[in-house]
Amino acid sequence: MDDADFIPLSALQHYLYCPRQCALIHLERLWEENAHTAQGRLLHDRADQPGAELRHGVRTLTALPLAQAELGIGGVADVVEMHARPDGPCLYPVEYKRGRPKSHRADEVQLCAQALCLEAMFGRAVPEGALYYGRARRRKVVCLDPALRQLTLETIQAVRAMFAAGRTPTARYLASRCDACSLIEHCQPRLLGRTDGVDAWLRDQLDGED
């Protein structure tokens, strides 16, 4: 697969959060900074610097390039911890996010995609990882179980289909997501969208947010 056909890992998170946001960023190449994205960028500053350190028997890699050629996905892991085990290192991805744990699974899908890349690259199972939330200042442990892996694979397929079609989805206003989005002025969901529902594929992810 050509490098240009690889889906960025971040696009999976963007798509599951909002397909239109994903298209605006990755198809139309739009971006706008706001307080939320600025806080997230500052949180990532350390993790975005490639490096490695060994502490208490744990080797920590930062800004590690990732790829899974069969699935056609790639990106960069914020942090990958390598815990020493008798049979070889146990890989443990940690993705940094601002804010607090969320009710939807967009962040978890991005983390799971990182694990799929690590498994392909190192030939070792990655059963668990963590999301570090800056506002909460704690990790949320994520079990990378079959259900999450299936959701991740479905999201990869959905993003690839949207990229292949080259069309940006219709705006749909959802206050719990749109009001905090840095692209709200580009998207104009109140003007262009509807408030009477969301795509069926996302319905289960959005229940209980309003």
Side-chain angles (χ1 to χ4, degrees):
M1 181 175 292
D2 189 276
D3 288 350
D5 295 326
F6 271 62
I7 293 173
L9 298 178
S10 60
L12 305 178
Q13 194 273 350
H14 294 145
Y15 185 90
L16 201 53
Y17 183 85
C18 170
R20 181 170 171 83
Q21 182 199 66
C22 180
L24 291 174
I25 293 172
H26 298 280
L27 289 178
E28 300 191 24
R29 306 296 182 183
L30 295 176
W31 182 251
E32 193 74 38
E33 191 92 296
N34 68 3
H36 299 298
T37 60
Q39 290 169 11
R41 177 170 48 78
L42 291 173
L43 180 65
H44 277 85
D45 275 351
R46 179 176 178 274
D48 283 345
Q49 299 299 316
E53 66 176 21
L54 182 63
R55 183 180 299 178
H56 305 303
V58 178
R59 184 173 180 82
T60 301
L61 308 177
T62 56
L64 179 67
L66 300 176
Q68 216 287 19
E70 184 177 349
L71 294 175
I73 56 175
V76 177
D78 289 338
V79 172
V80 176
E81 297 175 351
M82 305 181 76
H83 297 257
R85 297 287 189 272
D87 61 341
C90 174
L91 303 172
Y92 196 90
V94 182
E95 173 67 15
Y96 280 59
K97 298 292 183 184
R98 63 164 298 279
R100 295 186 173 89
K102 305 171 182 70
S103 60
H104 58 75
R105 308 202 75 182
D107 294 344
E108 296 177 19
V109 162
Q110 184 178 1
L111 181 70
C112 185
Q114 292 179 10
L116 295 176
C117 291
L118 289 169
E119 290 175 341
M121 293 166 61
F122 290 89
R124 301 189 63 81
V126 182
E128 187 177 282
L131 295 163
Y132 177 84
Y133 286 96
R135 184 172 296 178
R137 295 188 178 182
R138 65 179 177 85
R139 288 184 177 187
K140 174 187 175 182
V141 175
V142 178
C143 177
L144 306 174
D145 58 24
L148 179 56
R149 290 169 182 263
Q150 182 60 35
L151 177 59
T152 302
L153 294 176
E154 291 174 358
T155 306
I156 293 170
Q157 293 174 353
V159 172
R160 176 159 285 111
M162 185 180 73
F163 283 6
R167 291 194 297 270
T168 298
T170 302
R172 294 177 183 271
Y173 180 68
L174 187 69
S176 60
R177 301 196 183 194
C178 296
D179 289 351
C181 180
S182 68
L183 296 179
I184 189 168
E185 293 303 319
H186 293 285
C187 178
Q188 293 292 322
R190 293 187 185 90
L191 177 65
L192 302 176
R194 303 196 306 272
T195 59
D196 59 351
V198 293
D199 292 335
W201 191 77
L202 288 174
R203 194 176 303 279
D204 291 341
Q205 305 301 318
L206 301 179
D207 283 349
E209 286 198 35
D210 285 340

